[in-house]
Amino acid sequence: MTDTAAAGTRTATQTASKSEQAYAAVKARIVDGSYSPGYRLVLAKIAEDLGVSVVPVREAIRRLEAEGLVKFERNVGATVSGIDPTEYLYTMQTLSIVEGAATALSAPLIGGPDIARARAVNAEMRACLQHFDPVRFTRLNQDFHSILFEHCPNPHILDLVHRGWNRLASLRSSTFRFVPRRAHESVDEHEALLRLIEAAADADEIEKAARLHRSATLDAYLAQNNAGSHNAH
Amino acid sequence: MTDTAAAGTRTATQTASKSEQAYAAVKARIVDGSYSPGYRLVLAKIAEDLGVSVVPVREAIRRLEAEGLVKFERNVGATVSGIDPTEYLYTMQTLSIVEGAATALSAPLIGGPDIARARAVNAEMRACLQHFDPVRFTRLNQDFHSILFEHCPNPHILDLVHRGWNRLASLRSSTFRFVPRRAHESVDEHEALLRLIEAAADADEIEKAARLHRSATLDAYLAQNNAGSHNAH
DNA sequence: GAGTACGAAATCGTATACGAAAACTATTGC
DNA sequence: GCAATAGTTTTCGTATACGATTTCGTACTC
């Protein structure tokens, strides 16, 4: 029902198979948090909700399983995956790696207009911090990074980044809490990142900066939730 | 990840669902090259071959699509993906990134016995070069890297590496050609990588070495096929 | 009162069937 | 000879149906 992404909705609806429809619908509900981690996905129920039969729903769920958004167990059913903090750690770590790479690959292709757009978004983010609007902040954050990725020439990496974002979104709805102090730093890091890109810095340098940006958020999360197992990097 | 635990292994094998069976079978055929890129996957035919109905086959193929091994088109059908050299480039580039990360994350956990095992494998690889055995060489190469990854604490990254290997295997069967000179260098790089790990080098250094190792193979491939579009890194 | 066994309900897994879309082929007109 | 079109065949997409498996509740025994 709640089509968050307005992209191509009209055309898509026309051509969308029921299986696509089910896939998109369930995915959207997971990402936006309607189905939170651990939620039991009953085929028949979803099928009825969507007005289709179970076969396409089942197919959709298996696809989501392959993307890591749901966990599937034989003869038992599917649940939305990723309840524990460990999952969050793994997802963030993976995302920091692919996102760093995507940003580095994309950087040489970013033009002046993109930079300007990114700056505008970042300015809005800063504004959000003042009137405390975490929801909008998160959305803008995604926009900001999307601008940095969108020129990435390697579609596979781009795909991995998007999957990471989706996983993150699904986890975030239940485990993530907004950390204003970290958010301030985040906005500053965005600015630094843009300067690096503008200066046509070394790809390694850009990658490292992008990766650290993400890792820092992970660290902030771990510190806040004082999770004991902080091994990596 | 893999259910290595003896508990339930027998039962699991016994109860493998048809969908699971179809998934494994088709995947295996793609990876081993029986179905080469571009091959048309007709649901009914595969279903008949496997002695099951089309529903589980369809499900399996959709899962493989989500993994990137097949390309699916509405009302047309599925084909094994990845025909062109560009695809090879993207796959290798992605793999170099996730594999580099996996190796770096795994390195601190690698012990003496692992190093010894890896050295033994590498020695065998060197031997393969003398009596020119590309097939065995490729297999050993996979074994070598597997030893480096197997301690990677982040299952998501490990999963991405495995997917990359699978994609690579499916592409390789049609596009890859064995390059002895590069193979010699590869074996030397393995040795250097082991020394870095033994010396407990900086994670960044290990990651960079592992990534370059993979990138060099990509470069050799591109040089050999003198593909014009050599943009990245 | 606790634990076990049995039965009912819920849910999954897949075969079959049929409608719909695309691909292929043959025919007709120019 | 070529192109466009109509008809045929192939193949996909999904609803329905039913057997298999798990789960949950209840009654029975110790």
Side-chain angles (χ1 to χ4, degrees):
Chain A
M1 298 306 167
T2 50
D3 284 21
T4 45
T9 302
R10 186 181 55 250
T11 324
T13 306
Q14 194 178 36
T15 337
S17 65
K18 310 234 172 149
S19 140
E20 288 303 332
Q21 186 185 328
Y23 170 78
V26 175
K27 184 173 179 174
R29 278 173 167 71
I30 293 175
V31 170
D32 77 16
S34 307
Y35 294 159
S36 36
Y39 184 88
R40 176 91 186 276
L41 297 167
V42 178
L43 293 183
K45 192 167 174 304
I46 295 172
E48 194 186 6
D49 285 356
L50 299 175
V52 301
S53 84
V54 294
V55 177
V57 173
R58 184 183 162 84
E59 183 181 303
I61 286 185
R62 290 293 257 189
R63 281 213 281 161
L64 291 169
E65 183 201 12
E67 290 183 20
L69 283 175
V70 312
K71 197 164 148 317
F72 200 86
E73 204 175 346
R74 168 88 206 257
N75 275 325
V76 173
T79 53
V80 178
S81 69
I83 314 170
D84 54 7
T86 316
E87 192 59 29
Y88 186 80
L89 187 152
Y90 291 149
T91 300
M92 277 295 256
Q93 192 175 50
T94 307
L95 187 56
S96 78
I97 288 160
V98 294
E99 202 175 86
T103 304
L105 287 173
S106 185
L109 305 169
I110 291 178
D114 301 313
I115 298 272
R117 255 196 314 150
R119 281 235 161 78
V121 170
N122 208 35
E124 278 195 78
M125 288 177 72
R126 212 181 281 278
C128 282
L129 287 177
Q130 302 202 324
H131 21 89
F132 201 77
D133 188 346
V135 176
R136 183 162 166 73
F137 183 89
T138 302
R139 185 178 210 83
L140 288 169
N141 189 38
Q142 179 156 4
D143 290 346
F144 179 87
H145 285 280
S146 294
I147 294 172
L148 300 190
F149 309 145
E150 65 190 6
H151 292 100
C152 178
N154 188 327
H156 295 173
I157 293 174
L158 211 49
D159 187 48
L160 292 182
V161 174
H162 288 141
R163 290 191 185 187
W165 272 99
N166 283 337
R167 285 185 68 86
L168 200 58
S170 75
L171 293 169
R172 187 173 271 160
S173 60
S174 68
T175 64
F176 183 81
R177 262 166 270 143
F178 189 68
V179 185
R181 188 168 40 164
R182 170 67 204 146
H184 273 97
E185 292 170 12
S186 182
V187 172
D188 292 341
E189 282 164 18
H190 283 179
E191 190 54 46
L193 201 51
L194 286 179
R195 279 198 295 271
L196 276 180
I197 292 171
E198 262 184 324
D202 185 45
D204 277 0
E205 203 175 348
I206 292 174
E207 176 166 0
K208 193 169 290 187
R211 193 187 283 196
L212 283 180
H213 170 58
R214 176 69 61 194
S215 296
T217 303
L218 172 59
D219 287 340
Y221 170 80
L222 292 174
Q224 182 180 301
N225 292 40
N226 63 348
S229 59
H230 183 195
N231 56 351
H233 73 276
Chain B
M1 48 207 83
T2 48
D3 296 35
T4 43
T9 300
R10 185 182 56 247
T11 324
T13 308
Q14 191 180 40
T15 31
S17 69
K18 310 231 171 152
S19 141
E20 227 40 78
Q21 185 185 329
Y23 171 78
V26 175
K27 184 172 179 175
R29 279 174 166 73
I30 292 175
V31 170
D32 77 16
S34 308
Y35 295 159
S36 35
Y39 184 87
R40 177 92 183 276
L41 297 167
V42 178
L43 294 182
K45 192 167 174 305
I46 294 172
E48 194 186 6
D49 285 356
L50 299 176
V52 301
S53 84
V54 294
V55 177
V57 173
R58 183 183 163 84
E59 183 182 304
I61 286 185
R62 291 291 258 191
R63 280 214 280 161
L64 291 169
E65 184 201 12
E67 290 183 19
L69 284 175
V70 313
K71 198 163 144 326
F72 200 87
E73 203 175 347
R74 168 87 204 261
N75 275 325
V76 174
T79 54
V80 178
S81 69
I83 315 171
D84 53 8
T86 315
E87 192 59 29
Y88 187 79
L89 187 152
Y90 291 148
T91 301
M92 277 296 255
Q93 193 175 51
T94 307
L95 187 56
S96 80
I97 289 160
V98 293
E99 202 176 87
T103 304
L105 287 174
S106 185
L109 305 169
I110 292 178
D114 302 313
I115 299 272
R117 256 199 308 151
R119 280 234 162 77
V121 171
N122 208 35
E124 277 195 79
M125 288 179 71
R126 212 180 281 279
C128 282
L129 287 176
Q130 301 202 326
H131 20 90
F132 200 77
D133 187 347
V135 176
R136 184 162 164 71
F137 183 90
T138 302
R139 183 178 211 82
L140 288 168
N141 189 38
Q142 180 156 4
D143 290 346
F144 179 88
H145 285 279
S146 294
I147 293 171
L148 299 189
F149 310 145
E150 64 189 8
H151 293 101
C152 177
N154 187 328
H156 295 173
I157 294 174
L158 211 50
D159 187 48
L160 292 181
V161 174
H162 288 140
R163 289 191 185 188
W165 272 100
N166 283 337
R167 284 185 70 85
L168 200 58
S170 75
L171 294 167
R172 187 172 271 160
S173 59
S174 67
T175 63
F176 184 80
R177 263 165 270 145
F178 190 66
V179 185
R181 187 169 40 166
R182 171 64 203 146
H184 273 98
E185 291 171 12
S186 182
V187 172
D188 292 341
E189 283 164 16
H190 283 179
E191 190 53 47
L193 201 51
L194 286 179
R195 278 198 295 271
L196 276 180
I197 293 171
E198 262 184 324
D202 184 46
D204 278 359
E205 202 176 347
I206 292 174
E207 176 166 1
K208 193 170 290 186
R211 193 188 283 195
L212 283 179
H213 170 56
R214 176 68 62 195
S215 295
T217 303
L218 171 59
D219 288 340
Y221 170 80
L222 292 173
Q224 181 181 300
N225 291 38
N226 63 347
S229 60
H230 182 194
N231 54 352
H233 70 277

